[in-house]
Amino acid sequence: MIQTRARVAGADATSIRLEVPGWPGHRPGQFAMLGLDPDRTHRDPLLPRPMAVYRVVGGLLEFRFKVVGRGTRLLAQAPRGAELSLLGPLGNGFPAPRPGDWLVGGGTGIASLYELARDAPKGVRVRLGGRTRADILGLDDFAALGGDLAVATDDGSQGARGVVTELVTPAAGETVFACGPEGMMRRAHALARAAGATCLVSLENNMACGFGVCLGCAVRTTAGFRYVCTHGPVFPSESLGWGAA
């Protein structure tokens, strides 16, 4: 883990690319805290944003996101050469999938899955969903990987009309890796549980620090409270007490 200043190499409505000196590498599913005011001279926005690493390309660390408020809007508008504070990599990340496993993403959770899909062995199935085609982050990047990719959208503008979990049919012994809206992950958990498969979910809770001090990302598990930043963001879905969901 490093704490450093990152220089903006480019940004647009859905991504930001950073030069990060000394980046130690990361596992798919790990994240970083991005702060808009490395000199702490302003207090708006006060808190850094946790974001999953999308990929490293051309030596740049890339994050994909949706503009949902002031912080993400400022990130999307960050000029080339601007400096941000960066702390990472953080969290536990995903284990490597095996042939036959499922990667299921929705919303901003899709960003957590790109490198997992890129590095996966042949036979891993990728299922992405959103309300519309525009909601599916990095769809062209996923498609360029080849392999078994299927998409579902609420309005049918890309792939099948409906929810992404309708494209997921796990079997015993397989693992479902999921990141996205809680309803989607709960359904993935239920499908895996019914099939005798394993389900791992990556949570996207808000937090202030990223390393277990603020306690703002606490979640209730079957073993008591755990923290998304240090114990996660990847948890066995069974540990979240979702039951049959």
Side-chain angles (χ1 to χ4, degrees):
M1 181 177 70
I2 62 168
Q3 183 170 14
T4 187
R5 287 171 177 259
R7 189 177 298 277
V8 176
D12 56 38
T14 60
S15 69
I16 188 166
R17 294 164 296 284
L18 303 175
E19 299 172 2
V20 185
W23 182 249
H26 62 276
R27 298 190 303 279
Q30 287 191 290
F31 68 99
M33 300 294 290
L34 302 185
L36 286 156
D37 183 16
D39 294 320
R40 298 182 181 277
T41 55
H42 304 285
R43 296 190 180 278
D44 180 26
L46 176 64
L47 300 177
R49 266 51 177 178
M51 286 199 180
V53 179
Y54 180 67
R55 64 180 174 183
V56 175
V57 57
L60 302 175
L61 204 58
E62 182 174 341
F63 300 85
R64 292 249 173 173
F65 55 91
K66 291 184 177 181
V67 175
V68 295
R70 176 174 168 76
T72 47
R73 184 171 66 254
L74 291 173
L75 284 172
Q77 296 171 346
R80 185 182 181 91
E83 287 190 331
L84 309 178
S85 67
L86 182 144
L87 177 68
L90 300 167
N92 55 8
F94 286 109
R98 299 168 298 177
D101 287 344
W102 302 78
L103 311 188
V104 185
T108 56
I110 292 172
S112 298
L113 301 178
Y114 175 73
E115 288 188 324
L116 202 63
R118 182 196 64 191
D119 300 339
K122 186 177 181 180
V124 167
R125 293 163 281 198
V126 180
R127 301 292 182 262
L128 306 179
R131 288 177 296 179
T132 70
R133 187 188 192 286
D135 287 327
I136 302 176
L137 297 175
L139 176 58
D140 292 341
D141 295 332
F142 279 92
L145 297 176
D148 186 346
L149 170 66
V151 174
T153 50
D154 293 352
D155 66 353
S157 57
Q158 184 72 37
R161 183 187 296 273
V163 297
V164 65
T165 48
E166 293 176 354
L167 305 176
V168 181
T169 55
E174 296 174 349
T175 298
V176 179
F177 300 74
C179 188
E182 182 174 321
M184 185 209 81
M185 293 192 292
R186 281 180 175 268
R187 182 58 182 157
H189 160 76
L191 290 169
R193 180 185 175 95
T198 299
C199 183
L200 300 174
V201 297
S202 182
L203 304 184
E204 299 181 286
N205 293 40
N206 290 324
M207 59 188 75
C209 69
F211 49 87
V213 173
C214 72
L215 309 183
C217 61
V219 293
R220 189 186 299 275
T221 74
T222 55
F225 284 104
R226 293 291 183 270
Y227 303 106
V228 172
C229 60
T230 53
H231 299 110
V234 178
F235 293 88
S237 62
E238 294 282 353
S239 74
L240 297 175
W242 287 348

